[in-house]
């Protein structure tokens, strides 16, 4: 690690009046006086610097990024350089960019007799491979903005911007949430830290920002503005895979700078957490490897953020196999696509267009389609803006016809989880669409879209779609699947049953042939072998009062031929090939009695059928009533959410008013230097205005 005194600031372009100007001359003088130290001295200084950095990290008081603070590269004279051109990564294809040689023999470093490990830059790439799908990585960054709704966020912007160095396309994602203070942005760029303690928060592992940004591009720069405890800060951080690979680092180094508003002067100044040399060292690396070559250009990025919010710019985007940028900004000026080609669907040519344009297929290549269903519910006060146009929220439940509501009660280890309401039905376009499956959300976030739990054969299950929110199972780290636990496997089995049951009862509503499965009937145990249609014989027990001790003789009714076959056994269990005349009369009487019993049985079946029809009618009435109650429940939940949002908005407005009141009071106390005889009247007026303002604030608080 190069010493701080060797930092050269000649290549850093500072505008007059910016915060780095006051220390430029001093650092230039020190840099010019610096000489190349002997290798032993450099090694000793490097060990000292690493020791100080790691000790500070262990106590949580480091001024550098939480992994390790590096220094700008140097030439043979020991002077650092900052070129105006930021080179692109050596390999522009994501799946091939993980192989590089840092030229160093990275070994475990000894510190105070103990070994400690470094995080190699290759980990950034391998960690990002959890995202197989680029839209899944974008969704991770959208989740961070949605989690900021509780901190006042009202929008998130996803758009294309240009890298000012080479005019290449870059992806920008910006929200107006609470922003991150210097400590929070360091936790954001570290691994495993998460400030999201709310049960409703989507993120929980503290790894999504790194995996998602590195999956989309080789480099990312973050601008965040935070206002808290009457202190306004602006922080800038750079996570650059290009910087790390091309400079041969064997550990992850993230340059960062922080500014703080001086309330007395109204200007942004270097944060007190820095010394001047440290600040200029980080600024030098930012201007060398970020898209912005001057401090003025860096600070200009805060102009559209305001007093709070975060802007993420991902540049040096990865290329696809065809040599073009993976994210397609040109096919549709109001969308971002992958590949730009419509997915071909195996379907009837007459309905192929309908299938290809259905949301179930468009979400795979259209970001606008995917974002429209990414969240089960979204507050009316929050909007997603893609390429300058609002993304219309789409409730997949409203795309279903012949809906049914099924309650699923998961159980594990003898404990019952919360009930899950599943809405199932046919797509409105059925039977002309081939899409089917379940859309499973977790904490309001879509995890599995149109998950085909069954592969339909003979069209069984085709067009059947379900929607549910399963918070009792945990998603994987990339939020594109669930952990395959026993609890999830039970859910999968139940969803299969739901699909088949729904299809068997409702397929006739959309034109498919109803295939009713009759329950199997066991053949009579004493029917002779080789009897035709023996599987359809019905066993009827008749007590004919015969002189054999009242034993019942089995009579089998052949339903196909409406004939009666009687097997009469002798008292000794022997059968006779010839029958006497009296026996024939007995058989005829048995036939007549069996026929009477069969008629009675048919009447019983008809009565049972009528009762079943009445029960079906009652069931339909209950289903309709259930739908009405469900709709009312949704309406009440929506009203409750609206009221909660209104309360939070009023509290924010009240806080803003209170801050304005405090500011005016500070200005008022600073007027004591004004002569009383010249401005007495004016001062009294100001006091009266502030008194009225205080009364209004108190009344507003009371309301």
């Amino acid at each position: 690690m190069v010493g701080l005194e060797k930092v050269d600031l000649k290549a850093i372009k500072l505008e007059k009046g910016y915060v780095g100007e006051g220390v430029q001359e001093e650092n230039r003088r020190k840099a010019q006086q610096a000489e190349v130290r002997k290798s032993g001295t450099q090694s000793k200084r490097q060990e000292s610097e690493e020791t100080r950095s790691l000790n500070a990290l262990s106590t949580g008081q480091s001024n550098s990024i939480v992994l390790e603070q590096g220094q700008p590269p140097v030439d043979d004279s020991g002077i650092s350089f900052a070129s105006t051109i930021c080179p692109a990564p050596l390999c522009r294809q994501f799946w091939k960019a993980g192989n590089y040689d840092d030229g160093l023999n990275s070994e475990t470093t000894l510190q105070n007799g103990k070994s400690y490990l470094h995080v190699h830059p290759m980990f950034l790439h391998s960690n990002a491979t959890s995202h197989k799908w680029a839209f899944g990585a974008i969704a991770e960054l959208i989740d961070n903005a949605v989690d900021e709704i509780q901190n006042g966020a009202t929008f998130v912007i996803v758009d294309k911007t240009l890298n000012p160095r080479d005019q290449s396309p870059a992806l920008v994602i910006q929200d107006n949430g609470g922003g991150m203070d210097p400590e929070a942005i360091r936790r954001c760029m570290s691994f495993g830290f998460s400030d999201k303690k709310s049960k409703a928060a989507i993120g929980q592992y503290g790894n999504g920002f790194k995996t998602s940004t590195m999956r989309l591009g080789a480099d990312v720069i973050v601008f965040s503005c935070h206002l808290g405890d009457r202190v306004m800060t602006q922080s800038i951080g750079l996570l650059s895979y290009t910087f790390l690979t091309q400079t041969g680092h064997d550990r992850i180094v993230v340059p960062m700078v922080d500014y703080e508003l001086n309330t007395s002067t109204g200007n942004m100044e270097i944060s007190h957490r820095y010394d001047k040399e440290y600040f200029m060292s980080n600024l030098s690396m930012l201007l060398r490897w970020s898209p912005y070559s001057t401090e003025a250009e860096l600070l200009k990025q805060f102009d559209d953020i305001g007093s709070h919010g975060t802007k993420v710019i991902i540049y040096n985007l990865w290329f696809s196999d065809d040599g073009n940028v993976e994210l397609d900004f040109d096919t549709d000026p109001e969308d971002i696509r992958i590949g730009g080609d419509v997915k071909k669907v195996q379907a009837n040519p007459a309905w192929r267009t309908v299938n290809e344009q259905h949301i179930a297929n468009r979400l795979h290549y259209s970001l606008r389609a995917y974002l429209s269903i990414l969240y089960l519910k979204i507050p009316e006060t929050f909007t997603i803006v893609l390429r300058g146009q609002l993304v219309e929220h789409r409730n997949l439940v409203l795309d279903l016809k012949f809906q049914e509501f099924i309650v699923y009660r998961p159980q594990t280890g003898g404990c019952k989880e919360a009930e899950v309401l599943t809405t199932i039905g046919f797509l409105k376009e059925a039977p002309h669409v081939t899409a089917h499956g379940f859309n499973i959300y977790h904490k309001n976030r879509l995890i599995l879209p149109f998950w085909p739990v069954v592969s339909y054969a003979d069209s069984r299950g085709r067009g059947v779609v379900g929607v549910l929110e399963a918070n009792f199972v945990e998603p994987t780290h990339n939020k594109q699947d669930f952990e395959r636990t026993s609890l999830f496997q039970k859910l999968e089995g139940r969803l299969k049953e739901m699909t088949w049951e729904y299809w068997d009862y409702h397929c006739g509503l959309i034109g498919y042939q109803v295939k009713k499965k009759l329950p199997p009937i066991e053949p009579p145990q004493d029917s002779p072998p080789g009897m035709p249609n023996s599987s359809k014989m019905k066993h009827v027990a008749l007590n004919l009062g015969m002189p054999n001790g009242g034993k019942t003789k089995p009579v089998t009714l052949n339903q196909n031929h409406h004939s009666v076959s009687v097997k009469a056994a002798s008292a000794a269990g022997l059968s006779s090939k010839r029958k006497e005349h009296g026996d024939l009369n007995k058989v005829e009487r048995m036939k007549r009695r069996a026929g009477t019993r069969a008629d009675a049985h048919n009447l019983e079946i008809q009565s049972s059928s009528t009762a079943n029809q009445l029960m079906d009618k009652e069931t339909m009435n209950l289903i309709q009533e259930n739908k009405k109650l469900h709709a009312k429940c949704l309406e009440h939940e929506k009203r409750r959410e609206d009221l909660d949002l209104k309360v939070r908005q009023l509290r924010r407005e009240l806080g803003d008013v209170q801050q304005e009141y405090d500011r005016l009071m500070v200005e008022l106390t600073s007027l004591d230097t004004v002569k009383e005889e010249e401005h007495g009247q004016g001062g009294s007026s100001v006091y009266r205005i502030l008194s009225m303002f205080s009364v209004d604030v108190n009344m507003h608080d009371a309301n």
Side-chain angles (χ1 to χ4, degrees):
M1 186 178 296
V2 182
L4 287 173
E5 67 274 10
K6 294 185 179 180
V7 176
D8 181 21
L9 305 174
K10 291 183 179 180
I12 302 178
K13 301 179 182 179
L14 296 178
E15 302 288 337
K16 184 176 181 180
Y18 281 90
V19 296
E21 182 183 14
V23 297
Q24 185 177 7
E25 290 298 329
E26 179 182 354
N27 284 279
R28 182 184 293 114
R29 179 178 55 81
K30 291 183 178 180
Q32 290 174 348
Q33 294 176 354
E35 297 179 354
V36 180
R37 300 295 193 268
K38 295 182 180 180
S39 58
T41 306
Q42 289 180 345
S43 176
K44 184 177 180 179
R45 183 172 58 252
Q46 178 177 353
E47 180 180 355
S48 175
E49 189 69 27
E50 290 178 350
T51 303
R52 184 179 63 180
S53 176
L54 290 171
N55 289 339
L57 290 176
S58 63
T59 59
Q61 298 176 352
S62 173
N63 287 336
S64 66
I65 184 57
V66 291
L67 293 179
E68 185 168 338
Q69 176 59 53
Q71 304 301 326
V74 296
D75 57 17
D76 295 336
S77 64
I79 305 300
S80 68
F81 58 90
S83 172
T84 58
I85 300 177
C86 175
L90 298 177
C91 180
R92 298 304 302 273
Q93 294 182 2
F94 173 73
W95 297 106
K96 299 178 181 179
N99 299 323
Y100 78 94
D101 185 7
D102 57 11
L104 301 175
N105 294 324
S106 302
E107 299 178 353
T108 302
T109 306
L110 292 177
Q111 177 185 345
N112 298 331
K114 298 181 180 179
S115 63
Y116 65 95
L117 300 178
H118 294 148
V119 181
H120 196 277
M122 291 180 64
F123 178 72
L124 287 176
H125 182 271
S126 60
N127 191 40
T129 56
S130 61
H131 286 290
K132 308 300 181 184
W133 189 37
F135 285 174
I138 295 178
E140 284 273 10
L141 300 174
I142 303 295
D143 291 341
N144 292 336
V146 172
D147 285 338
E148 285 296 304
I149 293 178
Q150 60 182 348
N151 295 325
T154 59
F155 68 82
V156 59
I157 298 173
V158 183
D159 208 342
K160 169 190 174 183
T161 187
L162 295 177
N163 186 336
R165 292 186 185 268
D166 56 10
Q167 299 303 305
S168 61
L171 180 68
V172 57
I173 299 177
Q174 178 180 343
D175 67 73
N176 65 337
M180 294 179 285
D181 60 19
E183 293 296 336
I185 195 172
R186 281 160 174 76
R187 289 191 293 268
C188 172
M189 290 193 167
S190 302
F191 294 92
F193 290 90
S194 178
D195 294 331
K196 300 175 181 180
K197 305 302 182 182
S198 172
K199 293 183 179 180
I202 302 172
Q204 55 181 325
Y205 298 113
N207 197 36
F209 173 80
K210 279 73 65 176
T211 59
S212 57
T213 54
M214 293 294 99
R215 171 61 183 85
L216 297 170
D219 310 291
V220 58
I221 185 170
V222 183
F223 302 87
S224 190
C225 190
H226 178 75
L227 178 62
D229 297 330
R230 300 183 182 179
V231 176
M232 179 177 175
T233 59
Q234 293 179 347
S235 301
I236 306 173
L238 177 68
L239 183 60
S240 175
Y241 190 64
T242 306
F243 159 59
L244 297 173
T245 56
Q246 294 202 10
T247 55
H249 277 81
D250 67 338
R251 64 202 71 183
I252 298 177
V253 177
V254 182
M256 302 189 70
V257 294
D258 299 298
Y259 301 88
E260 186 174 321
L261 178 64
N262 188 330
T263 56
S264 61
T265 62
N267 298 324
M268 301 301 298
E269 298 180 353
I270 300 175
S271 176
H272 298 301
R273 64 189 295 122
Y274 291 113
D275 56 39
K276 296 177 181 180
E277 292 181 348
Y278 175 86
F279 175 87
M280 299 309 297
S281 169
N282 282 266
L283 183 60
S284 175
M285 284 185 287
L286 280 171
L287 300 183
R288 169 70 173 86
W289 296 96
S290 78
Y292 310 102
S293 57
T294 68
E295 188 183 25
E297 292 178 358
L298 277 176
L299 295 178
K300 187 175 178 60
Q301 297 303 313
F302 289 101
D303 290 349
D304 60 347
I305 296 180
S307 61
H308 53 85
T310 301
K311 179 191 294 185
V312 177
I313 299 177
I314 306 170
Y315 58 102
N316 285 331
L317 300 175
W318 297 117
F319 285 2
S320 56
D321 294 337
D322 57 6
N324 297 319
V325 178
E326 184 179 16
L327 298 179
D328 178 12
F329 299 96
D330 300 328
T331 301
D332 188 345
E334 296 182 356
D335 198 1
I336 299 177
R337 296 195 172 195
I338 297 179
D341 295 330
V342 177
K343 182 181 178 182
K344 301 301 180 182
V345 179
Q346 298 295 331
N348 188 319
W351 300 103
R352 181 170 297 167
T353 302
V354 176
N355 279 271
E356 291 177 349
Q357 294 301 318
H358 193 270
I359 184 75
N361 296 308
R362 287 194 296 114
L363 67 89
H364 295 291
Y365 62 86
S366 170
L367 182 61
R368 182 171 294 274
Y370 179 55
L371 293 182
S372 67
I373 62 173
L374 184 59
Y375 302 103
L376 185 61
K377 295 179 290 184
I378 194 165
E380 294 182 356
T381 57
F382 187 83
T383 56
I384 301 176
V385 183
L386 175 61
R387 303 295 301 275
Q389 300 295 326
L390 298 180
V391 176
E392 294 184 5
H393 178 254
R394 183 168 184 168
N395 189 349
L396 291 174
V397 172
L398 302 180
D399 288 348
L400 306 181
K401 57 183 177 181
F402 308 121
Q403 298 179 6
E404 280 199 357
F405 305 93
I406 303 175
V407 176
Y408 174 64
R409 298 178 177 87
Q411 295 184 3
T412 174
C415 300
K416 292 184 178 181
E417 301 287 342
E419 295 181 350
V420 177
L421 179 64
T422 302
T423 304
I424 190 172
F426 281 112
L427 290 172
K428 291 181 179 179
E429 299 85 355
H432 306 305
V433 292
T434 58
H436 65 289
F438 284 84
N439 296 274
I440 306 182
Y441 290 80
H442 177 81
K443 292 183 178 180
N444 196 46
R445 160 75 141 79
L446 180 62
I447 305 298
L448 289 176
F450 294 94
W451 179 42
V453 294
V454 299
S455 56
Y456 57 82
D458 298 331
S459 300
R460 190 185 183 200
R462 179 177 178 177
V464 178
V465 173
V467 181
L468 68 152
E469 185 177 21
N471 295 333
F472 61 93
V473 286
E474 290 297 327
T476 56
H477 286 272
N478 62 0
K479 298 185 180 68
Q480 297 299 310
D481 201 352
F482 286 97
E483 298 290 349
R484 299 290 167 162
T485 61
S486 59
L487 197 59
F488 181 76
Q489 292 174 355
K490 292 178 182 179
L491 173 64
E492 181 180 5
R494 182 65 186 103
L495 295 181
K496 289 181 180 180
E497 295 176 357
M498 289 183 189
T499 303
W500 288 327
E501 290 172 0
Y502 181 87
W503 172 267
D504 292 339
Y505 280 96
H506 299 85
C507 63
L509 298 176
I510 59 173
Y512 286 99
Q513 182 179 0
V514 179
K515 297 180 181 180
K516 294 183 178 179
K517 289 187 176 181
L518 298 176
I521 301 176
E522 297 181 359
Q525 296 180 359
D526 53 355
S527 58
M531 179 175 289
N533 300 323
S534 61
S535 62
K536 297 184 179 180
M537 300 295 181
K538 180 172 286 188
H539 211 171
V540 181
L542 299 176
N543 188 351
L544 302 179
M546 301 299 293
N548 57 354
K551 293 183 179 180
T552 300
K553 295 182 179 181
V555 178
T556 302
L557 301 179
N558 190 321
Q559 295 178 345
N560 289 340
H561 304 287
H562 303 285
S563 61
V564 180
S565 175
V566 180
K567 180 180 179 182
S570 62
L574 300 176
S575 61
S576 177
K577 294 183 179 180
R578 296 181 59 186
K579 297 184 181 293
E580 299 296 333
H581 182 71
D583 294 334
L584 295 177
N585 291 334
K586 292 179 181 179
V587 171
E588 291 297 328
R589 289 197 300 271
M590 291 171 63
K591 287 182 180 179
R592 288 194 294 270
R593 293 185 181 183
T596 303
R597 294 294 180 90
D599 293 339
H601 181 69
N602 291 334
L603 291 175
E604 182 180 356
I605 292 175
Q606 293 178 359
S607 301
S608 176
S609 177
T610 304
N612 289 336
Q613 292 178 359
L614 294 175
M615 291 179 63
D616 291 341
K617 185 176 180 180
E618 183 179 358
T619 301
M620 292 301 296
N621 292 334
L622 290 175
I623 291 176
Q624 295 296 330
E625 186 67 22
N626 186 17
K627 290 181 179 179
K628 294 179 182 179
L629 293 175
H630 183 67
K632 290 181 179 180
C633 182
L634 293 177
E635 182 180 356
H636 288 309
E637 289 182 357
K638 183 178 180 182
R639 290 181 60 187
R640 184 186 63 183
E641 292 177 356
D642 293 340
L643 290 175
D644 291 341
L645 288 173
K646 187 177 294 185
V647 169
R648 290 196 294 268
Q649 184 176 1
L650 290 174
R651 287 177 178 174
R652 289 196 300 270
E653 292 178 357
L654 182 60
D656 294 340
V657 171
Q658 184 64 42
Q659 290 181 359
E660 181 66 16
Y661 173 75
D662 295 340
R663 187 184 66 81
L664 291 175
M665 287 297 297
V666 171
E667 291 183 1
L668 182 61
T669 55
S670 65
L671 295 178
D672 54 357
T673 58
V674 181
K675 293 183 179 180
E676 182 178 358
E677 58 273 13
E678 294 180 358
H679 303 284
Q681 187 63 30
S684 300
S685 301
V686 173
Y687 274 110
R688 286 196 300 272
I689 292 173
L690 289 177
S691 299
M692 296 173 62
F693 186 74
S694 176
V695 172
D696 293 339
V697 169
N698 294 332
M699 294 179 64
H700 190 10
D701 193 8
N703 292 333

